[in-house]
Amino acid sequence: CPPARSFESFGIAGATSAIVEWAEQVPDGALVLLVFVVQDAAALAGVLEALSAAGLGCPACVPPVGHMAMATLGRKGETPWASSHAGTDAVVATGLLSGSVG
């Protein structure tokens, strides 16, 4: 599994290819947590569509207008992801882990 990454330094509009490259390295079935601070909804829409097309399984649409944060949790390749939340100032994404952890 690739290490956890932050793409903040890229700026969302310039990060799409780097984010997709990371997502393609994630093995099928791996648990993935994505968190976004929405500064440019159009750019985020492009990133989410690219991640979905890369097989991640995450939602491919942006949160409603006025929502500044988004979090989603799921396993790569499974759709739909069971936990996706958007909020005006904070978000939480939770999931049930099956099998042993650690």
Side-chain angles (χ1 to χ4, degrees):
C1 225
R5 291 278 315 266
S6 170
F7 297 93
E8 179 181 8
S9 62
F10 288 84
I12 194 74
T16 303
S17 63
I19 293 170
V20 168
E21 182 179 324
W22 172 84
E24 288 173 342
Q25 295 174 21
V26 173
D28 285 344
L31 188 63
V32 178
L33 170 66
L34 300 174
V35 179
F36 298 97
V37 175
V38 183
Q39 296 176 336
D40 181 341
L44 179 57
V47 168
L48 291 172
E49 289 170 8
L51 286 172
S52 184
L56 206 55
C58 63
C61 58
V62 296
V65 173
H67 289 72
M68 301 303 296
M70 175 183 177
T72 185
L73 176 73
R75 294 196 178 275
K76 182 178 180 182
E78 294 180 8
T79 57
W81 281 14
S83 183
S84 297
H85 301 273
T88 56
D89 57 3
V91 292
V92 174
T94 61
L96 178 62
L97 297 176
S98 60
S100 61
V101 177

